[in-house]
Amino acid sequence: MTALEPQSINWQATSNRRAHHTDRFSSQELILRRGQSFNFSLSLNRSLGTGESLGFVVSTGPQPSESARTKAVFPLSNRTSRGGWSAELVSNRDNILTISISSPVNAPVGWYTLSTQISSQGKDFILKLGMFILLFNPWLQEDGVFMSNHVEREEYVLEDAGIIYVGSTNRIGMVGWNFGQFEEGILNICLSILDHSLNFRRDPATDVARRNDPKYVGRVLSAMVNGNDDNGVISGNWSGNYTGGRDPRNWNGSVEILKEWRKSGFRPVRFGQCWVFAGTLNTVLRSFGIPSRVVTNFNSAHDTDRNLSVDVYYDPYGRPMDKGSDSVWNFHVWNEAWFVRTDLGPSYNGWQVLDATPQERSQGVFQCGPASVAAVREGDVNLDFDMPFVFAEVNADRITWIYDVYNSTQKQNASDAHSIGRYISTKAVGSNSRMDITEKYKHPEGSSQERQVFEKALGKLKPRASFGATSARHLAEDEREPSISGKFKVTGILEVGKEVNMALILKNLTSDMKTVTVNMTAWTIVYNGTLVHEVWKDSVTISLDPKEEIQHPVKITYAQYEKYLKADNMIRTTAVCQVSEEAEVLVERDIILDNPSLTLEVLDQAQVQKPVNVQMLFSNPLDEPVKDCVLMVEGSGLLLGSLRIDVPTLRPKERSRVRFEILPTRSGTKQLLADFSCNKFPAIKAMLSIDVAE
């Protein structure tokens, strides 16, 4: 009798991928989800004789072992067994066997090898049949990442474009982001991220076995998406100087970043800031099948010493000072991933904060999370992982100090228990509108529950502190009421290239005359508060009649700020107002200048595999030419990779029109993203939703 051997194999990739919701991946590999069966057919050179049998072996990682559950050996039987790996014979016609293989719902994710074990004529031999990728399964109730709501699952797993909120509390802006998790090669790059982690390099066998747990995978990815410690994906830079890399505001999405990381031999891509880390981590999570979303927190505290307060310093002239390690970011962006917390209990299931921006070390590495959003809301700062840091980001008190360098004294100027953690935002499901999720993170501002949760958290972090002594919520109560109030009001339009017009409004709150000395400054800043350069200052003395209110004009010319404005378009104005013998009143306001508009329009009806013309319109608003103009365009399902177009120099007030062609590959609503940069405008953004017909 001739030796029994397989002749060919049909992976039934199309029907398996459809059944496993992996049919959107561009690459042609067999991509499956765990806990769900898949079918393939095996043709043999002859029929199975008596005493002959077929079995299978699956393995993952460099050191597969049955004890670690990274390898399984199982027979071909006539029925499925629950729990582990199993193979069932579905049909046997003309020596073609149709076989259904089931994987356990807690199998590690990643690349697998499938082999067949043939026992024939007293001999056993093993033959490799092929490879497949196994992912998390949010469609399956038993999987820890299961998401029951169909429209949410579509958004948080299958949507490959999104919106990230940026700006400040009084001017929330948005940028489009191309996640592109289904683009050619991206899933493989995402899987290779795990194989570059410190954990894998130290102990590959254990690391691969732990890839069954979304908590573990999420935490490893939060460390690997930043380049600190481990040659991860992106190198962070908040200096305002981005030579040797790309200005973080120029990226349109994750695809280019991930491809560049692989192409460079896995060296961190330069440069990223928080939304770049979050956009990229979101791509990796969705590609693995972990539901995820990008979340922005406005006035985000970076508390370095776990005391739930951030200290901000100014000198007596109103200049912001780079003193102390705490800071308040105008906005900060992180991710939420959806999975169960078997380590904490069911009330902590659901959204978990993961943050890949390198801010503080955790267990010696720049990583953050998973921190349960439900735990943040209840002040359970003792739970895993990195809860005190995340709790402080949305709840810390902001304490302002005036620091006198000459006699190195500092005095507390104000404390604010309400400004941190505002308008926590994410893109709504199925639309481009903003959804406010602040109430998921904390009880209503100023409510008794919010106060109780803060005290509970403080008590857990500082059990030795006398009750309430470290909390700013008690510090400010015995201070004298100031006799004047001040605020900055914007009086003109805020546009790059135009003069900034504001007014400092001062009001005498008493029935006596008051004389006020005012020191004012304006600095260009990066969104996390990094000071770039002082662009304006002014000092004045003003007399106020009883109850009088006056407006003092503030003018900052384009010539003053032009050279120092960063892509953030942010200017921080401050005024220290001193009435003799009284505590200073500090007035501050961050303003954001608008870029000129960039318009995209589609010139034909978009259809799959049919070239479409798109046009970009831009007018130079300045009285001087703009040069070194580059347009970068990308959009998953609309064009492969990204398009770079050099745009000729524009004369003062000149209007530019650039036409380019895209080739849609998938139907549905797709997002086209553009970034226009030149010597005067480092990053002007545009996005356009395009409906692509079949």
Side-chain angles (χ1 to χ4, degrees):
M1 201 157 53
T2 53
L4 180 67
E5 54 188 44
Q7 307 257 266
S8 66
I9 185 163
N10 176 353
W11 289 110
Q12 302 181 13
T14 308
S15 56
N16 281 324
R17 282 169 50 130
R18 197 174 299 125
H20 286 247
H21 307 97
T22 59
D23 45 330
R24 294 194 194 183
F25 285 99
S26 312
S27 51
Q28 289 316 299
E29 293 106 357
L30 181 60
I31 304 167
L32 305 166
R33 298 195 187 273
R34 62 187 194 173
Q36 190 173 336
S37 63
F38 66 97
N39 287 7
F40 64 96
S41 47
L42 195 59
S43 65
L44 302 174
N45 58 339
R46 59 175 178 78
S47 59
L48 278 168
T50 46
E52 291 184 319
S53 69
L54 276 188
F56 295 96
V57 182
V58 290
S59 61
T60 184
Q63 299 161 11
S65 80
E66 290 184 77
S67 60
R69 298 209 178 126
T70 49
K71 176 184 176 184
V73 182
F74 48 98
L76 178 61
S77 74
N78 293 321
R79 60 179 191 284
T80 35
S81 65
R82 291 298 295 143
W85 287 90
S86 65
E88 181 189 4
L89 182 61
V90 179
S91 68
N92 180 356
R93 260 186 233 106
D94 307 328
N95 303 334
I96 296 177
L97 278 51
T98 301
I99 294 158
S100 170
I101 287 189
S102 298
S103 60
V105 71
N106 59 352
V109 299
W111 273 104
Y112 278 79
T113 302
L114 175 66
S115 307
T116 180
Q117 193 170 15
I118 299 175
S119 302
S120 171
Q121 300 158 353
K123 285 204 278 294
D124 281 5
F125 61 99
I126 287 182
L127 202 73
K128 178 177 162 177
L129 294 174
M131 313 253 316
F132 61 88
I133 294 171
L134 197 63
L135 302 177
F136 292 102
N137 196 344
W139 281 262
L140 187 68
Q141 192 162 1
E142 296 77 27
D143 196 316
V145 301
F146 173 64
M147 188 169 242
S148 58
N149 182 313
H150 166 75
V151 282
E152 288 183 5
R153 205 170 47 216
E154 288 282 309
E155 176 80 41
Y156 298 135
V157 182
L158 298 179
E159 185 53 67
D160 60 3
I163 281 172
I164 302 177
Y165 294 96
V166 296
S168 65
T169 49
N170 50 22
R171 201 161 179 82
I172 295 179
M174 58 186 218
V175 292
W177 193 263
N178 180 27
F179 300 124
Q181 67 267 36
F182 302 120
E183 296 303 285
E184 189 70 54
I186 292 300
L187 176 58
N188 272 321
I189 299 171
C190 292
L191 288 166
S192 73
I193 291 175
L194 296 175
D195 291 345
H196 283 83
S197 75
L198 294 174
N199 293 13
F200 180 81
R201 286 185 285 190
R202 283 190 205 117
D203 181 355
T206 305
D207 173 76
V208 171
R210 295 190 68 187
R211 292 179 189 179
N212 67 333
D213 180 359
K215 287 193 298 299
Y216 177 78
V217 171
R219 186 158 174 81
V220 167
L221 292 174
S222 82
M224 279 302 300
V225 167
N226 67 67
N228 306 51
D229 319 302
D230 46 28
N231 268 348
V233 182
I234 300 159
S235 175
N237 179 343
W238 286 266
S239 69
N241 173 12
Y242 310 113
T243 43
R246 197 187 281 200
D247 186 319
R249 297 242 172 197
N250 289 141
W251 300 108
N252 283 322
S254 321
V255 175
E256 270 196 284
I257 294 170
L258 290 163
K259 285 182 173 170
E260 191 175 315
W261 181 63
R262 188 191 53 196
K263 207 169 87 186
S264 72
F266 306 106
R267 281 202 292 281
V269 175
R270 299 191 291 202
F271 291 106
Q273 289 170 355
C274 65
W275 68 93
V276 183
F277 293 104
T280 304
L281 177 54
N282 213 55
T283 297
V284 185
L285 292 165
R286 286 186 185 179
S287 78
F288 286 177
I290 300 175
S292 62
R293 60 189 186 184
V294 177
V295 170
T296 304
N297 177 39
F298 290 94
N299 289 354
S300 192
H302 181 169
D303 174 21
T304 53
D305 45 14
R306 294 172 63 116
N307 65 350
L308 297 192
S309 70
V310 287
D311 301 307
V312 184
Y313 295 88
Y314 291 88
D315 74 6
Y317 300 99
R319 280 187 283 238
M321 294 179 71
D322 241 336
K323 185 180 151 30
S325 49
D326 289 353
S327 58
V328 177
W329 295 28
N330 275 336
F331 66 90
H332 179 44
V333 186
W334 59 69
N335 302 78
E336 287 176 1
W338 176 273
F339 47 81
V340 298
R341 291 302 297 268
T342 44
D343 56 329
L344 304 180
S347 60
Y348 300 105
N349 290 349
W351 292 116
Q352 314 290 325
V353 172
L354 293 169
D355 190 346
T357 298
Q359 287 180 296
E360 293 294 313
R361 289 182 189 274
S362 171
Q363 297 173 319
V365 176
F366 283 100
Q367 58 188 345
C368 179
S372 158
V373 175
V376 173
R377 191 169 196 263
E378 298 314 320
D380 296 321
V381 292
N382 52 311
L383 302 177
D384 286 344
F385 292 87
D386 308 307
M387 281 290 299
F389 185 76
V390 177
F391 183 84
E393 285 183 301
V394 298
N395 286 301
D397 289 337
R398 182 177 192 273
I399 302 180
T400 316
W401 301 85
I402 293 195
Y403 183 83
D404 197 329
V405 189
Y406 298 110
N407 47 18
S408 56
T409 56
Q410 61 182 48
K411 49 180 192 244
Q412 185 180 323
N413 176 268
S415 71
D416 184 345
H418 302 303
S419 67
I420 299 288
R422 307 285 302 279
Y423 304 112
I424 304 175
S425 304
T426 189
K427 174 192 168 304
V429 173
S431 83
N432 282 352
S433 49
R434 183 181 76 87
M435 177 162 79
D436 194 297
I437 54 171
T438 312
E439 48 89 29
K440 298 272 188 270
Y441 280 83
K442 48 189 183 179
H443 294 279
E445 200 69 67
S447 66
S448 60
Q449 295 119 302
E450 185 233 5
R451 230 12 92 87
Q452 283 161 358
V453 164
F454 188 88
E455 292 299 346
K456 166 181 168 184
L458 200 60
K460 288 185 176 191
L461 289 175
K462 292 210 170 307
R464 294 168 307 288
S466 59
F467 180 74
T470 45
S471 164
R473 292 179 154 92
H474 298 280
L475 281 178
E477 281 154 22
D478 56 7
E479 288 173 10
R480 279 188 304 161
E481 285 300 306
S483 61
I484 58 160
S485 70
K487 68 166 194 255
F488 280 112
K489 180 176 142 194
V490 176
T491 54
I493 50 168
L494 298 175
E495 281 178 14
V496 180
K498 301 241 180 356
E499 182 174 79
V500 171
N501 281 293
M502 301 169 75
L504 174 65
I505 300 174
L506 288 178
K507 182 167 188 185
N508 182 350
L509 304 171
T510 70
S511 310
D512 309 313
M513 282 282 299
K514 293 288 174 189
T515 302
V516 192
T517 312
V518 184
N519 290 315
M520 291 175 282
T521 64
W523 289 68
T524 54
I525 60 168
V526 178
Y527 77 98
N528 70 337
T530 301
L531 302 171
V532 178
H533 206 280
E534 186 176 79
V535 293
W536 174 86
K537 62 172 185 245
D538 189 16
S539 290
V540 351
T541 303
I542 293 169
S543 295
L544 288 172
D545 288 334
K547 302 283 184 194
E548 186 187 6
E549 179 176 283
I550 63 108
Q551 295 202 9
H552 180 74
V554 171
K555 279 192 188 339
I556 309 169
T557 64
Y558 180 49
Q560 283 171 305
Y561 70 75
E562 170 198 6
K563 287 187 174 54
Y564 305 112
L565 193 71
K566 294 295 154 189
D568 310 70
N569 287 358
M570 286 182 184
I571 297 176
R572 173 165 291 170
T573 50
T574 54
V576 172
C577 312
Q578 174 91 54
V579 177
S580 57
E581 308 307 309
E582 293 185 23
E584 298 96 332
V585 170
L586 179 79
V587 184
E588 44 188 354
R589 169 105 188 233
D590 286 353
I591 57 163
I592 301 180
L593 307 186
D594 286 340
N595 278 324
S597 65
L598 181 71
T599 314
L600 294 173
E601 41 193 45
V602 192
L603 302 176
D604 342 272
Q605 165 63 47
Q607 213 175 321
V608 173
Q609 296 303 346
K610 191 178 135 211
V612 180
N613 285 298
V614 179
Q615 121 175 327
M616 172 216 80
L617 301 171
F618 175 73
S619 294
N620 174 11
L622 304 178
D623 294 320
E624 50 189 306
V626 300
K627 50 182 200 286
D628 312 323
C629 307
V630 176
L631 178 69
M632 303 282 292
V633 182
E634 74 178 84
S636 288
L638 291 172
L639 66 161
L640 292 174
S642 67
L643 198 57
R644 183 197 149 104
I645 300 163
D646 291 310
V647 179
T649 295
L650 288 168
R651 295 189 302 278
K653 307 286 192 225
E654 187 185 354
R655 186 171 183 203
S656 166
R657 173 184 278 138
V658 176
R659 286 194 177 183
F660 55 91
E661 201 176 71
I662 59 173
L663 183 68
T665 51
R666 292 200 299 275
S667 62
T669 303
K670 301 287 161 217
Q671 183 170 280
L672 188 69
L673 296 165
D675 174 85
F676 179 79
S677 59
C678 59
N679 65 332
K680 299 290 182 190
F681 301 102
I684 302 179
K685 298 289 190 190
M687 57 183 269
L688 178 67
S689 291
I690 300 179
D691 291 319
V692 181
E694 273 296 352

